[in-house]
Amino acid sequence: MDSNRIQYEPYKNRIITANEAAALFTDGAVVGSSGFTKAGDSKAVLPAFAKRAVVEDIGITLITGASLGHTTDSDLAEANALYRRMPFQVDNVLRQKINNGDVMFIDQHLSETAELLTNKHLPKMDYAVIEALEIDQNGNIIPTTSIGNSAAFAQLSEKVIIEINTSLPLSFKGIHDVFIPKNYPERDVINITTPNSRIGKGYIKVDPDKVVGIVFTELPDSPAQVAEPDDNTIGIAEHLMAFFKSEVQSGRLSPSLMPLQAGIGKIANAVMMGFLNSPFKNLTMYSEVLQDSTFHLIDAGIMDFASASSITVSQECHDNLIKNFDKYQDKIVLRPQNISNSPEVIRRLGVIAINTAIEFDIYGNVNSTHLSGTKMMNGIGGSGDFARNAYLSVFVTPSISKGGAISHVVPMVPHTDHTEHDVDILVTDQGLADLRGLAPRERAKVVIENCVHPDYKEALQDYFERACQLGGHTPHILGEAFAWHAGLAERGSMKPFCPA
């Protein structure tokens, strides 16, 4: 325990254990926790509450920034400690509880959670648990590797518990830009005009009277699982780089493109690595998460600046950051997620959004959340915030998976997160479909020609031609539209020609 990290003297007599903090929660309490894509999450209090719930019949509504790290969501789910969970998760055990109906999951655009709380569209928050690097002389919180919804939680909750994490060096101070918009109808513009604009404070303001406990921890963030680029992601990246080159040649983009956004995960990170072997320079990022690829691009002198809400990196990248943080300190900034994902700012900056799809259909509708249309995977995250407001909205996915049993281009998506109106570019390892300015029948031809795996191209072309014979602005054969998904459920393969 390093009490020197508490600069506000009255807090020093509020140091408690994680178990004592977890004992404060009552059944049915609404709890907000810091944490955005495994970064800056509660590593002491929530795990302690999970252990409490093993021996007590008690549960909470848990609201976070995004996903939590380590086994926290698993432990809470296994202990039946969650009644409701929002707005995003990536945990296998919790996912099963959600799909079984044991936990009510509210999937939200990541920019909206703080807004819904502020506008009283969600129940009042009883407790906020917020990870801190340090507490300043006024009792305010210096965040760690994420801001997420922490600033809103500190402002809106009845009581606050602060977890001071001593695993990070104090050199991380200075990378945070905390801005809280005014409430309606007095709201003003969010005056971010470049990714490196700073409009807020370096701390999260909190009313000292709300703080009921200070808990110390030294457990670092869960490392991200980073996959080496494979044939699929290399192919996607090559098609995307070729597209950007053509946009530069046409005069629609400069060699520095526009600020980039990339979704979280192995595919997005691997695709971003494609910029290492590209002619583009002086790149910037206005995104949600800084992954390994961001720091590799900074190291290569290709990316000048990156703005996000969290840092989620592999163990190797984390160790490098800790050792050489002064190298990156003036090249990154972390913001609250309702600012990093603000539609107003995304539209103003002209962000190029690159997000991962589970699947898309021949007309450009994208499913990014539900397997076979019913089973929640992770959640929509920030992809909708960016796709609906981007200068260019790009979705990427492999053309097939599971040894060819699944096509990621289908006749009709069984769940739609991003409609055709919000999608400009679709990319698979097979090729790229530019949908700009195309009507539905034109889009279908471009998608089938460029994005579909050869194993499925003939079947999709046949479906489309027969659908066109029935007519309609967006032709479909309703009795067959989901036949591929039904085949997957019944036979273990989407292939229409797979024997029963």
Side-chain angles (χ1 to χ4, degrees):
M1 183 173 70
D2 182 3
S3 60
N4 290 327
R5 294 211 181 198
I6 304 176
Q7 298 295 314
Y8 183 67
E9 198 66 29
Y11 283 171
K12 291 187 176 180
N13 61 8
R14 300 183 206 179
I15 298 172
I16 59 176
T17 67
N19 289 335
E20 289 172 329
L24 297 172
F25 299 164
T26 56
D27 188 50
V30 177
V31 177
S33 172
S34 63
F36 192 102
T37 58
K38 301 183 179 182
D41 56 328
S42 167
K43 302 174 181 70
V45 178
L46 289 183
F49 181 71
K51 292 179 181 177
R52 177 187 170 194
V54 170
V55 295
E56 288 185 46
D57 185 13
I58 188 170
I60 59 173
T61 289
L62 178 61
I63 309 175
T64 59
S67 55
L68 300 176
H70 299 285
T71 61
T72 303
D73 266 328
S74 288
D75 295 342
L76 290 165
E78 287 181 334
N80 297 315
L82 298 176
Y83 296 139
R84 290 180 179 269
R85 179 77 170 87
M86 65 183 87
F88 188 82
Q89 56 77 42
V90 297
D91 183 81
N92 287 329
V93 176
L94 177 55
R95 184 181 299 124
Q96 184 172 349
K97 290 277 189 176
I98 290 167
N99 288 319
N100 289 342
D102 298 323
V103 176
M104 295 295 103
F105 178 61
I106 298 91
D107 184 23
Q108 293 171 332
H109 298 300
L110 295 186
S111 68
E112 290 189 346
T113 308
E115 303 292 326
L116 293 169
L117 284 164
T118 300
N119 298 328
K120 300 182 173 61
H121 297 314
L122 294 175
K124 190 170 182 61
M125 184 169 286
D126 298 300
Y127 288 90
V129 184
I130 301 174
E131 185 177 81
L133 181 73
E134 186 182 50
I135 296 170
D136 72 11
Q137 63 273 18
N138 296 313
N140 299 311
I141 298 168
I142 311 298
T144 56
T145 49
S146 76
I147 298 181
N149 281 321
S150 296
F153 293 167
Q155 182 184 54
L156 298 170
S157 65
E158 289 288 316
K159 298 174 182 177
V160 176
I161 299 165
I162 303 173
E163 285 191 22
I164 299 179
N165 192 324
T166 58
S167 72
L168 288 170
L170 293 177
S171 59
F172 271 66
K173 287 192 294 186
I175 65 169
H176 309 97
D177 186 51
V178 182
F179 176 79
I180 298 178
K182 292 180 181 178
N183 291 342
Y184 299 110
E186 286 81 28
R187 181 159 296 188
D188 204 347
V189 298
I190 300 173
N191 196 27
I192 294 174
T193 56
T194 62
N196 62 352
S197 296
R198 285 179 175 263
I199 60 172
K201 307 292 186 183
Y203 55 82
I204 295 171
K205 187 171 179 58
V206 60
D207 179 355
D209 291 338
K210 287 185 179 183
V211 177
V212 295
I214 309 291
V215 177
F216 277 85
T217 180
E218 56 182 9
L219 187 65
D221 291 337
S222 286
Q225 301 302 311
V226 177
E228 289 295 319
D230 58 18
D231 289 343
N232 284 336
T233 54
I234 290 171
I236 291 170
E238 288 177 346
H239 295 311
L240 201 49
M241 295 308 119
F243 167 75
F244 288 141
K245 289 176 189 176
S246 70
E247 290 294 287
V248 173
Q249 291 169 359
S250 72
R252 285 188 288 268
L253 287 173
S254 73
S256 60
L257 305 180
M258 301 288 274
L260 299 169
Q261 177 260 342
I264 185 70
K266 297 177 182 179
I267 293 177
N269 186 67
V271 169
M272 286 297 293
M273 293 291 284
F275 282 103
L276 287 171
N277 300 309
S278 76
F280 308 113
K281 56 186 179 181
N282 302 121
L283 298 179
T284 60
M285 176 171 278
Y286 193 84
S287 192
E288 310 158 285
V289 182
L290 306 184
Q291 300 184 89
D292 285 37
S293 54
T294 304
F295 296 99
H296 288 313
L297 291 169
I298 291 173
D299 289 343
I302 294 170
M303 182 165 287
D304 292 346
F305 195 87
S307 166
S309 192
S310 78
I311 299 171
T312 303
V313 292
S314 67
Q315 188 63 56
E316 181 181 1
C317 189
H318 175 270
D319 293 344
N320 176 61
L321 278 176
I322 297 295
K323 187 177 179 180
N324 303 294
F325 195 70
D326 58 335
K327 177 180 175 182
Y328 305 102
Q329 194 164 26
D330 63 347
K331 294 179 175 63
I332 62 174
V333 66
L334 299 184
R335 311 180 191 274
Q337 68 194 68
N338 56 326
I339 305 300
S340 69
N341 291 39
S342 165
E344 171 193 342
V345 179
I346 294 165
R347 182 66 62 90
R348 179 183 299 125
L349 296 183
V351 171
I352 296 174
I354 306 170
N355 287 288
T356 305
I358 289 175
E359 61 190 350
F360 55 79
D361 66 28
I362 57 176
Y363 297 111
N365 300 290
V366 173
N367 172 19
S368 61
T369 58
H370 285 73
L371 299 178
S372 295
T374 61
K375 293 184 178 180
M376 171 59 66
M377 187 62 181
N378 299 326
I380 196 169
S383 58
D385 296 324
F386 285 91
R388 284 158 176 74
N389 300 285
Y391 173 85
L392 279 173
S393 174
V394 181
F395 281 91
V396 303
T397 188
S399 59
I400 58 171
S401 62
K402 302 295 183 184
I406 295 174
S407 172
H408 292 266
V409 188
V410 296
M412 180 188 284
V413 288
H415 178 91
T416 304
D417 293 292
H418 313 284
T419 72
E420 59 192 89
H421 312 291
D422 302 320
V423 179
D424 298 314
I425 309 295
L426 295 171
V427 195
T428 71
D429 50 287
Q430 298 298 313
L432 180 146
D434 184 347
L435 307 183
R436 293 174 294 178
L438 300 183
R441 294 188 188 217
E442 295 171 313
R443 288 198 296 268
K445 292 177 183 178
V446 172
V447 168
I448 294 170
E449 176 62 28
N450 292 287
C451 296
V452 181
H453 190 275
D455 287 357
Y456 288 89
K457 185 174 287 190
E458 183 179 346
L460 260 183
Q461 184 64 41
D462 176 68
Y463 173 88
F464 174 62
E465 290 174 356
R466 289 185 293 112
C468 286
Q469 291 174 8
L470 297 178
H473 178 247
T474 307
H476 272 301
I477 307 169
L478 294 182
E480 293 184 28
F482 300 136
W484 292 21
H485 292 89
L488 179 63
E490 295 165 7
R491 304 188 302 267
S493 176
M494 282 188 175
K495 289 182 178 178
F497 40 85
C498 181

